[in-house]
Amino acid sequence: MLISFLTGEPTTSPRKSLIDTASTHYYHCIARCVRQAWLCGQDDFSGKNYEHRSQWVTERLQLLVNTFAIEVCAYAIMSSHII
């Protein structure tokens, strides 16, 4: 871990020094909504329905898979996050 000379706090490290590609071929990625926002589904608080976003996320994921030449083994789109 790198430590900042000025603050004494840990600093970020480049991905190539964090991941051993010889032993790890799968990565778990997650993106969460903040401030109780809804990604998709029915928001009981506001009464709004955001289900239309699920198709948009699926299409965007397919575009990114093709663009970056990666494979997705599985994914889940939930009301407050994507796994």
Side-chain angles (χ1 to χ4, degrees):
M1 177 186 302
L2 299 173
I3 303 296
S4 170
F5 176 75
L6 297 174
T7 65
E9 297 291 321
T11 61
T12 58
S13 300
R15 204 170 287 136
K16 67 182 178 181
S17 68
L18 298 174
I19 299 172
D20 178 15
T21 56
S23 64
T24 305
H25 300 285
Y26 298 95
Y27 302 96
H28 181 235
C29 303
I30 186 169
R32 293 202 52 161
C33 297
V34 297
R35 290 174 282 188
Q36 298 179 349
W38 285 82
L39 176 62
C40 58
Q42 182 73 28
D43 181 358
D44 294 332
F45 181 73
S46 70
K48 294 183 181 179
N49 188 330
Y50 298 106
E51 194 58 43
H52 64 281
R53 293 178 179 172
S54 181
Q55 182 64 32
W56 179 84
V57 171
T58 301
E59 292 170 0
R60 187 68 176 170
L61 183 60
Q62 184 62 46
L63 174 70
L64 295 173
V65 163
N66 294 332
T67 301
F68 292 104
I70 60 172
E71 292 183 45
V72 174
C73 297
Y75 70 96
I77 303 170
M78 297 181 221
S79 60
S80 63
H81 59 286
I82 301 172
I83 297 178

